[in-house]
Amino acid sequence: MVNHIDRTNYTEGLHRVADHCYAWLEPPGGWGLSNSGVVRAGDEVLVIDTQNDMRMARAMRAALDQCFGSRDPAHTTIVNTHHDLDHWTGNGVFDAGRIIATDAAVKEMRSTPDPDSLPDLVEPDTAAGAWARGQAETFDFTAWTRVEPNESFAGSRTISLGDIAVHLVEVGPAHTPGDAIVHVPHDGVVFAGDIIFHRTTPISWASISGQIQACETILALAPDVVVPGHGSVTDQEGVREVRDYFSLVQDHARRSQAAGIPLEAAYQDIDLGPYRNWAHASRVYANLACAYAEAEGRPSPKPTEVMEQVIADDHALTRHSEQSTGGRQ
Ligand SMILES: [Zn+2]
């Protein structure tokens, strides 16, 4: 079933957001609950990101088959916006002839561990260890196979889809080293991947200044609709919010560093203002750590270096699991 253009309808499933464009939404957009996009023109279908687990990928595939009929793989293309597993675990479910990502994303994918190995990567007797076990129990990796892109690019690439052009634009390093966005000028739509989290706290693993620049790149395209990697469908206002969030983080990091304040104290100190009520606010620890490293010319911290603090302080996670009877956060 397709829900027709209504941005306030943030429910799981396929939502039409413009003439050729659809969003597959996974509320509430927390850890592992990412959105996908679909562009359909003529006989061609483009799938943007393929979900974090097999159940969600298969549900999305079934919805596409129901709406558009089943297709030859030659008429299905996937774009993975970046290498995080919640955006490409389901690649094998969609029978796509072409799978495209940036060169930098493909390089990261090749060294990404299998999705069911997450608990092995984290100290078991920690908050992050408990979280990782919860993720492994929640998501379904049955019959998962590793299907990486068979095509990559740097800079930008235009693909033809039926009679419309779709632009892939590299905007990383930002959220990760190899982010891309997908722009459908005909419909005024941008699929932003994890450059944009809408009204839920974004996280950067690669570059805070890159995040700000990527938001500016999206705004310069003047889209009417922006499909974020996590959260509900938005527009340019949602992009400005993310840009301003990262500017606030960057300013705080710069001021704190100039005053010789260590990362932990800068984290305790930060006033998130309007962003304090976004879910997973403790991700600001990872963002500050990224800003500190960037300013000092060090590589950005690995997830294992920051996740314990982020998860231990993740009140949205605690609240959700207390209320939940088996939710998927
Ligand atoms: Zn994601």
Side-chain angles (χ1 to χ4, degrees):
M1 187 190 118
V2 182
N3 300 292
H4 281 273
I5 307 168
D6 175 3
R7 280 186 229 171
T8 60
N9 183 4
Y10 185 32
T11 53
E12 184 179 31
L14 199 60
H15 299 253
R16 191 171 190 183
V17 297
D19 258 12
H20 302 83
C21 295
Y22 302 77
W24 176 273
L25 303 179
E26 284 291 344
W31 301 102
L33 295 176
S34 43
N35 300 325
S36 294
V38 181
V39 188
R40 195 233 188 169
D43 290 338
E44 305 289 322
V45 169
L46 172 66
V47 175
I48 300 141
D49 292 338
T50 59
Q51 296 293 307
N52 188 48
D53 84 348
M54 302 304 276
R55 184 198 68 77
M56 295 187 289
R58 289 191 191 108
M60 180 177 158
R61 167 74 196 258
L64 298 192
D65 288 352
Q66 193 187 13
C67 292
F68 309 138
S70 48
R71 288 164 316 284
D72 185 278
H75 296 295
T76 302
T77 301
I78 292 172
V79 171
N80 295 129
T81 58
H82 61 292
H83 79 279
D84 284 347
L85 279 163
D86 54 322
H87 299 260
W88 68 282
T89 294
N91 276 3
V93 171
F94 291 87
D95 287 335
R98 290 173 87 184
I99 306 179
I100 310 172
T102 65
D103 296 339
V106 172
K107 186 168 168 240
E108 296 292 325
M109 285 173 174
R110 294 204 169 124
S111 57
T112 299
D114 290 355
D116 52 3
S117 67
L118 181 62
D120 307 332
L121 308 175
V122 191
E123 284 291 324
D125 298 329
T126 60
W131 167 82
R133 284 192 299 280
Q135 293 286 106
E137 284 161 16
T138 298
F139 293 107
D140 172 12
F141 304 115
T142 316
W144 176 79
T145 52
R146 179 175 283 268
V147 180
E148 292 176 1
N150 52 20
E151 203 176 316
S152 65
F153 72 99
S156 62
R157 170 156 305 179
T158 298
I159 57 176
S160 298
L161 205 72
D163 56 358
I164 66 170
V166 175
H167 301 309
L168 318 183
V169 184
E170 183 172 26
V171 292
H175 170 68
T176 64
D179 307 288
I181 59 167
V182 177
H183 179 216
V184 186
H186 185 281
D187 284 13
V189 174
V190 167
F191 296 93
D194 281 1
I195 297 303
I196 303 299
F197 286 56
H198 187 228
R199 303 266 165 96
T200 181
T201 307
I203 191 163
S204 173
W205 303 111
S207 169
I208 302 299
S209 55
Q211 269 283 168
I212 294 166
Q213 183 53 52
C215 290
E216 296 290 1
T217 301
I218 295 171
L219 291 170
L221 300 171
D224 298 318
V225 177
V226 175
V227 178
H230 297 258
S232 57
V233 174
T234 184
D235 53 23
Q236 291 179 46
E237 190 51 35
V239 181
R240 283 188 210 103
E241 286 175 1
V242 172
R243 178 197 61 190
D244 294 349
Y245 169 88
F246 280 111
S247 296
L248 183 152
V249 168
Q250 191 178 55
D251 288 349
H252 182 74
R254 281 180 180 157
R255 273 199 309 275
S256 303
Q257 281 176 302
I261 296 169
L263 170 63
E264 276 64 27
Y267 167 62
Q268 297 302 335
D269 226 33
I270 190 167
D271 178 2
L272 285 172
Y275 311 111
R276 75 164 65 84
N277 294 324
W278 285 2
H280 311 294
S282 61
R283 287 173 179 168
V284 75
Y285 180 77
N287 294 328
L288 282 169
C290 187
Y292 264 59
E294 198 171 352
E296 291 166 5
R298 290 183 284 114
S300 15
K302 294 189 172 58
T304 46
E305 294 170 47
V306 294
M307 279 300 270
E308 181 57 20
Q309 187 80 59
V310 170
I311 296 298
D313 293 345
D314 194 338
H315 304 302
L317 196 61
T318 319
R319 232 179 14 247
H320 185 84
S321 54
E322 276 167 3
Q323 288 167 0
S324 163
T325 51
R328 280 187 280 121
Q329 283 255 19

